[in-house]
Amino acid sequence: MTTHASVVEASGLGLTFETADGPVHALSDVNLTIGKGEFVSFIGPSGCGKTTFLRVIADLERPTAGTITVNGAAPGQARKDRAYGYVFQAPALYPWRTIERNVALPLEIMGHSRAEQQKRIARTLDMVNLSGFEKKYPWQLSGGMQQRASIARALAFDADLLLMDEPFGALDEIVRDHLNEQLLDLWAKTEKTICFVTHSIPEAVYLSTKIVVMSPRPGRVTDMIESTLPRERPLDIRETPQFLEIAARVREGLKAGHSYADQ
Amino acid sequence: MKRWVDGRILPITVVVLAIVLIWYVFTVLLNTPWQQSVYGREGAVDVPFTQFLSDVFSQQRPVLPAPHQVAAEFYTSVFNAPAHTPRSLIFHAWITLSATGLGFVFGTLLGIGLAVLIVHNRAIDKSLMPWVIASQTIPILAIAPMVVVVLASVRLTGLIPKALISTYLSFFPVVVGMVKGFRSPEAIHLDLMRTYNASPAQVFWKLRWPAALPFLFASMKVGVAASLVGAIVGELPTGAAGGLGSRLLAGSYYGQTTQIWAALLMAAALSAALIFAISALEKLTERAMGARA
């Protein structure tokens, strides 16, 4: 894969939460570089720090050790520059706003004009195939559609970096396949850098140019796999030996980093 | 017929009928001793039961007036008395309602204002909240005459002292409700605002305020009822200036129990009307905010 300037650079990154039951090492010695235009998946069992790492990039958590830069500056600066769009595990749409007003939320906050808002709403809703649902309220849409609306919201202000925290985790397999395909399509069109947290091995392998395998207690990176799959990926690429080989390596990485005996 | 059974009308009618029936039973029980002493003085013996009932239900100053006596008094004082004279219940109701309304608006605004301060500032949260709670442990009956007397000494009489007592009672549910409301957005909704680098004002107006609105209406329903109580209590020490409170007081001075009950009925009707109005406003707001039909 061609990697240009690095978007995220972490070295020796650690984060320890002080809790009543003693310190919890959510992240420990994470070294990682994410290049521009990459699609990086973070995979690992619960508690491996993949979501925490995403939140550190987003300046929603402060690291307690090491350094991290986003677009060459501190994460706080990137947040102030509105350098990234964040898609949460749940759609997190505001229930009192229609779909178009939800997509408009970041645009309102960032001070775009009404006309500009309309243009961007139409464009991003089209990108996630939600045209025609502008006036609907979130509860009138299915879970998959709600999550697509939340992706549209993250795309609306044209940040180059998209941080996605298990966005399809709560959806069924059929919807998930469909959205994965759409996401790859979107990534190809927009040439964004995407950081994607997931539980699912096929999802990680199907989507990514780079797969970061993590393990818990303390949360750390156990393997980093550069995908050899082509950028153009039809759904049935998942039956190819190349795909299965990468999936096997991810599975190995997960096993190695995680002793099931102590569960 | 089906709509009657399915709807709310039938259950409400049944309950009202039951209350009226129990009321009549107690009217007889409570007014019998007086009626018997009257018969004793008159030397009447062997009064027929129907005569007894009709006498019990038409005493001038019954311990407990019968429902139809209260209804008649209510009707007379509402429809047969000119509305601008102290004989009219409308006259008194309006005086009380204006104090209630003013006090409720003050109280709601004060409550929202305090809640905003409490939510946005930890020091204020820690220092103010105990006082807000302590304020409600003082019996309103103790503080109301003080307020009236103190304000009268600076020549504030009439509407304002009563409205302030209403405010005192009605701001509390609004503070408590709105603090909870402003804190009701989920962490994920707040995180979203943070990723946009939204200003505190933007977080307030685009997230905290709309999220708190359901809490506001619930608090306002409690607050408006408290306001009415406050206004009535505020009228007790002000003398015969008018209002449902002074009507109650006058009724108890002169043993006019029927008049007291009619005034109570009016107070209940006012409170129900106010709560109904807030519910209507709530429905409209919910619809504008896309609630499920």
Side-chain angles (χ1 to χ4, degrees):
Chain A
M1 283 288 100
T2 51
T3 52
H4 315 291
S6 69
V7 176
V8 177
E9 264 191 76
S11 74
L13 192 76
L15 199 162
T16 306
F17 292 110
E18 294 299 337
T19 72
D21 302 330
V24 172
H25 302 283
L27 286 174
S28 152
D29 194 30
V30 175
N31 299 292
L32 183 69
T33 303
I34 297 171
K36 192 166 167 43
E38 275 195 279
F39 196 127
V40 182
S41 282
F42 297 84
I43 188 165
S46 304
C48 72
K50 52 196 193 299
T51 293
T52 307
F53 185 66
L54 213 61
R55 290 175 64 85
V56 168
I57 298 175
D59 189 37
L60 295 174
E61 306 286 355
R62 293 268 156 79
T64 50
T67 57
I68 181 164
T69 61
V70 180
N71 291 335
Q77 189 55 45
R79 182 172 65 82
K80 289 194 178 73
D81 295 341
R82 283 121 178 192
Y84 66 84
Y86 200 105
V87 179
F88 292 89
Q89 226 158 332
L93 300 169
Y94 289 4
W96 52 84
R97 284 174 171 251
T98 57
I99 295 305
E100 63 172 0
R101 294 327 299 163
N102 265 295
V103 175
L105 179 70
L107 304 174
E108 285 173 18
I109 288 170
M110 295 170 196
H112 291 272
S113 71
R114 276 267 158 184
E116 180 67 20
Q117 287 182 28
Q118 278 312 321
K119 224 168 69 192
R120 283 165 181 254
I121 291 165
R123 197 188 65 210
T124 47
L125 282 181
D126 183 52
M127 262 190 230
V128 298
N129 288 333
L130 273 181
S131 300
F133 293 92
E134 289 87 353
K135 306 285 180 203
K136 297 279 187 221
Y137 283 95
W139 62 269
Q140 294 171 301
L141 269 58
S142 69
M145 289 163 95
Q146 289 184 23
Q147 197 54 280
R148 264 149 58 197
S150 90
I151 293 171
R153 183 180 58 187
L155 292 173
F157 52 100
D158 277 338
D160 285 330
L161 176 61
L162 201 55
L163 306 174
M164 306 178 88
D165 181 10
E166 286 186 58
F168 310 137
L171 306 175
D172 67 67
E173 191 117 5
I174 301 166
V175 177
R176 183 190 274 228
D177 278 354
H178 186 59
L179 291 183
N180 280 343
E181 227 182 341
Q182 286 189 351
L183 182 60
L184 272 188
D185 193 38
L186 201 116
W187 174 60
K189 267 190 226 156
T190 58
E191 297 176 332
K192 288 186 192 303
T193 309
I194 299 182
C195 296
F196 190 95
V197 167
T198 180
H199 263 126
S200 153
I201 297 173
E203 188 171 67
V205 179
Y206 177 64
L207 292 173
S208 319
T209 58
K210 184 193 277 178
I211 301 160
V212 180
V213 183
M214 298 180 77
S215 84
R217 283 179 296 273
R220 63 194 186 280
V221 176
T222 50
D223 196 4
M224 213 165 321
I225 304 161
E226 296 283 345
S227 176
T228 50
L229 295 174
R231 260 181 117 94
E232 195 70 23
R233 297 173 188 181
L235 266 178
D236 51 22
I237 200 169
R238 296 181 300 183
E239 271 95 67
T240 61
Q242 206 180 359
F243 184 99
L244 297 175
E245 196 182 305
I246 299 170
R249 186 170 155 195
V250 173
R251 199 167 287 116
E252 279 305 310
L254 287 172
K255 248 186 236 165
H258 191 72
S259 147
Y260 288 92
D262 66 2
Q263 286 298 288
Chain B
M1 187 61 204
K2 194 170 180 310
R3 274 187 52 196
W4 272 67
V5 179
D6 290 344
R8 275 186 287 179
I9 300 167
L10 184 74
I12 289 175
T13 314
V14 168
V15 170
V16 168
L17 282 179
I19 289 172
V20 167
L21 193 70
I22 294 168
W23 192 341
Y24 269 113
V25 169
F26 275 92
T27 306
V28 174
L29 290 177
L30 292 170
N31 296 338
T32 297
W34 169 258
Q35 196 59 46
Q36 272 167 347
S37 76
V38 169
Y39 289 153
R41 268 177 275 146
E42 287 172 350
V45 283
D46 292 337
V47 182
F49 186 64
T50 48
Q51 178 63 43
F52 167 73
L53 274 189
S54 121
D55 287 343
V56 159
F57 289 147
S58 55
Q59 288 177 2
Q60 277 302 304
R61 292 172 184 181
V63 176
L64 180 64
H68 68 264
Q69 285 178 293
V70 176
E73 166 69 20
F74 186 82
Y75 184 86
T76 317
S77 55
V78 168
F79 297 102
N80 292 355
H84 57 275
T85 67
R87 289 178 59 193
S88 166
L89 211 47
I90 299 280
F91 171 83
H92 294 289
W94 170 249
I95 290 175
T96 304
L97 185 65
S98 52
T100 303
L102 192 64
F104 173 63
V105 171
F106 281 169
T108 304
L109 293 179
L110 178 67
I112 294 172
L114 287 178
V116 170
L117 290 178
I118 287 170
V119 167
H120 285 93
N121 189 311
R122 252 185 90 77
I124 292 178
D125 181 14
K126 295 279 176 232
S127 58
L128 200 61
M129 206 56 189
W131 288 104
V132 168
I133 292 164
S135 76
Q136 301 302 304
T137 62
I138 302 167
I140 189 65
L141 273 173
I143 210 167
M146 301 301 165
V147 173
V148 172
V149 170
V150 167
L151 289 180
S153 75
V154 293
R155 287 164 202 270
L156 264 179
T157 54
L159 189 62
I160 299 295
K162 289 190 286 176
L164 284 180
I165 294 165
S166 275
T167 304
Y168 185 82
L169 284 188
S170 64
F171 87 98
F172 181 69
V174 178
V175 175
V176 174
M178 287 309 271
V179 165
K180 202 168 163 54
F182 288 144
R183 286 183 179 154
S184 68
E186 294 167 46
I188 201 173
H189 285 157
L190 287 164
D191 279 348
L192 186 70
M193 281 295 187
R194 196 172 148 78
T195 69
Y196 299 150
N197 193 31
S199 70
Q202 286 170 328
V203 174
F204 181 79
W205 289 113
K206 293 187 191 299
L207 177 58
R208 290 194 193 273
W209 177 255
L213 275 181
F215 293 83
L216 177 64
F217 285 108
S219 315
M220 274 163 65
K221 282 184 210 170
V222 180
V224 80
S227 271
L228 185 68
V229 171
I232 291 175
V233 169
E235 281 161 357
L236 293 178
T238 54
L244 291 176
S246 73
R247 183 85 163 172
L248 290 172
L249 201 64
S252 74
Y253 278 159
Y254 302 112
Q256 294 291 340
T257 44
T258 317
Q259 187 185 313
I260 295 177
W261 280 94
L264 286 178
L265 194 62
M266 183 52 104
L270 273 188
S271 155
L274 287 169
I275 289 173
F276 181 80
I278 290 170
S279 296
L281 197 64
E282 184 180 18
K283 286 262 155 54
L284 284 176
T285 312
E286 275 175 1
R287 202 167 306 164
M289 288 172 65
R292 271 164 231 245

